Amino acid sequence: MSEDLLKKITAHCKEYGFVFPTTEIYDGPGALYDYGPYGCELKNNIRQYWWESIVHAHENIVGVDTAILMHPTTWKASGHVDAFNDPLIDNKDSKKRYRADALIEEHLARLDEKIEKEVEKARKRFGEQFNEELFRSTNPRVAELSRRRQALHQRLTEALRNNDLETLRAIITEEEIVCPVSGTKNWTEVRQFNLMFSTQLGSHSDDTLTLYLRPETAQGIFVNFLNVQKSARLKVPFGIAQVGKAFRNEIVARQFIFRMREFEQMEMQFFVRPGTEDHWYEFWKSERMRWHEKLNLGPGLHRFRDHDKLAHYARAACDIEFRFPMGFKELEGIHSRTDYDLRNHQEHSGRKLTYYDPDLNESYIPYVIETSIGLDRMFLAVLTAAYLEEKLPDGSERTVLRFHPALAPVKFAVLPLVPKDGMEVMARKLFEDLRKLAPGQYDEKDSIGRRYRRQDALGTPFAFTVDGQSLVDGTITVRFRDSMEQERIPASQAPRFIEEQVSIRRLVWS
Ligand code: GAP
């Protein structure tokens, strides 16, 4: 996979109405996107798959929908005012701003590329007899590059862990990292930059209050912890889930919808008895991986990665990484957050946030395991796995999105082979019946081959075709998007077929 694939996916999304850059007519600000007709359907389906799996499939998890603008002390208590920072550096010639750690990571990636190039060269030279492991450990150039890479990675990790801005700057100068725009090494010092957007509440200049657009949805859950526990009569362990917008003033905002300034999170805080958090951390790690695997996106696309640098609130944390076009990157985070948030909200608000445990006959502040996934990032993962440019046996080509039928934005198409002789009447009737069950399309324009291609590009899993034989015996063909095979079934079976194949609920409970 490659950056080239990301470009193709981005272009496909625009052409077929999945995702558009925002405010494009004004050359809108970067890293902000609008979802088009098929994009918002796909996004809704992913959201629903998450919501039903987390909330409806667990008796002890409930949902909330909390405000984006919260009292500013929330963010002092959560640590975001003081610690939600990125280390920034400016190039004095190009005036471009970068994340210092990202510049170093790109440099590390270049070292990786050099190593891989050496290995590939040797593979070609030695052919069949090539022993990759031996080569990697004995070739002096590869060994030296690997040693350099490892030492640098270690130094970066430690500098980030210790918020050591001077070392970050030192790495950039010692490694002679240049600005990709100006090509120079004329760098400023490294500074911390807070990622929260702020705004003003109040109509008079003398009584304004500075508020932040929430950088995570989690705090809306924490501050409502007792409201929800009491009103829904929940006993520990229990969870509160939320899907909603979050905002971050990201500096490195590239790579399409991977890193956005406004995005959606699907988060769940699971409140547990102190001392049981390690058990629940492992439990949610495997539950969440199972959720991803049920979508069958493909082998080798997911992996766990433990965090080198723990966030300011975490006791243990890992990511579920996905193989995006630009490599393995974070898709979801699972964090053991201790009682950090509730304890700090208790201190800052002066309100008691303890839970009375009737089984232990004691009160305590619960510990929290969090699962947090970006909806937009999941959207990109689903697209990455689905996108395929395929050469067909007849020499033609097609671009197909192989979505899981439960996630596909359009579930079926009904196509009269030709819109005449009554085929269009039968097809229209079938469409009217099926659209009560799931979103679909009726299409009679252009040749049948072109119509199939259009549906392939949208990821429609099933196309029902009404032909001459349909008028005689009431059968239709189902065309399967991925195999392109066709099967004849009675038209009367189509509703049941659709209901069985595209149900999100079935996927959740499978
Ligand atoms: N409440 C914990 C939290 O917010 P995070 O690792 O900062 O943790 C969780 O974010 C998830 O949100 C990430 O795994 C990612 O999927 C998504 N996410 C974070 N920043 C994002 C951004 N700028 N654009 C898109 N998705 C983002």
Side-chain angles (χ1 to χ4, degrees):
M1 288 205 250
S2 65
E3 299 269 353
D4 198 36
L5 174 61
L6 189 64
K7 281 197 193 122
K8 286 181 178 170
I9 291 174
T10 310
H12 190 91
C13 278
K14 184 162 177 222
E15 184 177 351
Y16 287 94
F18 283 85
V19 182
F20 312 119
T22 198
T23 349
E24 212 185 358
I25 56 168
Y26 294 109
D27 292 331
L32 293 162
Y33 288 91
D34 300 333
Y35 285 82
Y38 302 109
C40 73
E41 292 289 343
L42 175 59
K43 204 172 169 201
N44 281 342
N45 292 340
I46 297 172
R47 192 189 284 114
Q48 193 184 340
Y49 173 47
W50 184 87
W51 188 264
E52 293 204 8
S53 306
I54 294 282
V55 180
H56 296 174
H58 293 94
E59 272 183 277
N60 58 348
I61 301 182
V62 294
V64 291
D65 183 3
T66 70
I68 285 171
L69 297 173
M70 303 169 71
H71 193 284
T73 308
T74 309
W75 306 109
K76 187 77 193 150
S78 69
H80 284 81
V81 169
D82 297 320
F84 196 52
N85 300 318
D86 273 347
L88 291 195
I89 190 163
D90 290 5
N91 182 270
K92 291 184 199 161
D93 299 320
S94 67
K95 311 271 183 268
K96 288 272 171 200
R97 181 163 288 178
Y98 299 92
R99 258 175 69 175
D101 56 333
L103 276 179
I104 299 170
E105 266 163 17
E106 280 163 21
H107 182 67
L108 284 169
R110 281 192 293 276
L111 289 178
D112 285 339
E113 269 172 37
K114 276 189 191 161
I115 295 170
E116 292 315 309
K117 258 194 195 145
E118 293 292 329
V119 173
E120 282 318 301
K121 258 192 340 208
R123 191 191 307 284
K124 280 198 189 124
R125 202 166 55 230
F126 294 112
E128 294 273 292
Q129 287 118 42
F130 182 56
N131 181 335
E132 183 175 331
E133 211 176 308
L134 187 69
F135 178 80
R136 280 184 190 272
S137 57
T138 54
N139 179 277
R141 183 163 159 72
V142 169
E144 168 55 19
L145 281 169
S146 303
R147 191 203 52 74
R148 224 178 105 196
R149 190 218 178 275
Q150 202 173 336
L152 195 57
H153 181 255
Q154 176 82 12
R155 209 169 156 209
L156 170 65
T157 307
E158 268 164 34
L160 288 175
R161 192 176 296 135
N162 303 327
N163 279 327
D164 180 352
L165 305 184
E166 273 172 29
T167 299
L168 290 178
R169 172 79 163 58
I171 296 175
I172 289 171
T173 42
E174 284 163 29
E175 292 291 319
E176 306 196 330
I177 296 175
V178 297
C179 165
V181 175
S182 67
T184 70
K185 294 174 257 175
N186 197 5
W187 296 109
T188 61
E189 295 305 305
V190 178
R191 286 162 295 119
Q192 292 287 22
F193 176 84
N194 193 284
L195 296 181
M196 286 194 292
F197 285 106
S198 60
T199 186
Q200 306 295 319
L201 179 82
S203 49
H204 302 290
S205 56
D206 49 358
D207 67 353
T208 55
L209 185 62
T210 298
L211 301 185
Y212 299 102
L213 301 191
R214 66 179 178 200
E216 62 171 12
T217 61
Q219 297 304 324
I221 292 177
F222 287 122
V223 297
N224 278 293
F225 149 74
L226 275 186
N227 284 338
V228 176
Q229 184 267 321
K230 287 189 174 140
S231 58
R233 297 166 51 239
L234 294 163
K235 274 179 75 179
V236 159
F238 69 90
I240 306 177
Q242 162 150 247
V243 180
K245 290 264 178 158
F247 303 82
R248 296 182 188 179
N249 198 355
E250 298 281 3
I251 297 308
V252 181
R254 290 193 300 259
Q255 300 175 325
F256 192 33
I257 53 173
F258 180 80
R259 197 178 298 285
M260 300 156 85
R261 298 195 165 108
E262 173 179 343
F263 57 100
E264 232 171 304
Q265 286 187 317
M266 306 190 285
E267 298 200 298
M268 193 274 296
Q269 313 295 321
F270 199 68
F271 298 88
V272 306
R273 210 178 259 175
T276 63
E277 64 275 14
D278 293 346
H279 161 76
W280 288 111
Y281 178 64
E282 292 305 323
F283 173 87
W284 281 108
K285 269 176 76 174
S286 68
E287 276 289 290
R288 293 306 301 146
M289 190 55 107
R290 225 164 58 80
W291 183 86
H292 288 283
E293 286 170 354
K294 275 206 265 183
L295 284 175
N296 242 335
L297 295 186
L301 291 177
H302 298 91
R303 70 180 187 195
F304 281 114
R305 192 182 66 81
D306 287 328
H307 283 200
D308 292 329
K309 183 195 177 204
L310 291 180
H312 56 273
Y313 49 75
R315 164 192 152 98
C318 70
D319 293 337
I320 294 178
E321 291 190 333
F322 182 81
R323 190 143 66 93
F324 288 99
M326 53 284 184
F328 271 104
K329 302 257 177 210
E330 172 184 351
L331 169 60
E332 168 156 12
I334 298 152
H335 311 126
S336 183
R337 289 180 80 129
T338 66
D339 60 355
Y340 176 91
D341 303 84
L342 290 179
R343 186 169 293 284
N344 279 322
H345 285 308
Q346 179 168 280
E347 266 168 30
H348 281 78
S349 67
R351 307 276 181 93
K352 245 185 162 180
L353 291 179
T354 51
Y355 163 78
Y356 172 71
D357 189 328
D359 297 332
L360 297 181
N361 193 21
E362 79 182 49
S363 293
Y364 53 80
I365 297 179
Y367 272 38
V368 171
I369 307 299
E370 167 183 73
T371 72
S372 174
I373 176 167
L375 176 50
D376 314 83
R377 223 173 254 193
M378 183 62 194
F379 185 102
L380 183 59
V382 168
L383 264 175
T384 303
Y387 185 92
L388 179 70
E389 288 173 6
E390 202 174 29
K391 218 171 175 76
L392 302 178
D394 67 1
S396 64
E397 283 177 14
R398 70 166 183 163
T399 300
V400 56
L401 297 179
R402 296 160 302 162
F403 295 132
H404 189 294
L407 297 189
V410 181
K411 307 297 188 192
F412 66 90
V414 179
L415 318 169
L417 186 61
V418 279
K420 59 180 193 186
D421 301 334
M423 284 179 238
E424 77 288 15
V425 179
M426 183 174 169
R428 189 83 220 173
K429 159 111 187 33
L430 179 63
F431 173 67
E432 292 301 334
D433 289 344
L434 294 181
R435 66 191 288 228
K436 292 173 195 141
L437 305 174
Q441 289 192 347
Y442 174 83
D443 191 2
E444 59 177 35
K445 202 162 172 288
D446 298 325
S447 73
I448 192 76
R450 286 185 76 157
R451 280 180 275 164
Y452 285 149
R453 291 291 166 277
R454 260 202 303 270
Q455 295 301 332
D456 289 343
L458 299 180
T460 310
F462 311 108
F464 298 113
T465 306
V466 173
D467 55 16
Q469 192 179 329
S470 311
L471 302 177
V472 178
D473 63 9
T475 62
I476 54 176
T477 62
V478 194
R479 175 193 181 263
F480 296 87
R481 175 198 62 206
D482 299 351
S483 64
M484 293 189 297
E485 278 167 11
Q486 302 198 14
E487 201 179 296
R488 265 206 113 77
I489 61 164
S492 58
Q493 281 180 13
R496 179 123 172 261
F497 178 91
I498 282 297
E499 277 186 320
E500 282 176 2
Q501 299 287 330
V502 307
S503 161
I504 291 179
R505 187 144 299 162
R506 266 175 194 260
L507 176 63
V508 169
W509 290 98
S510 63

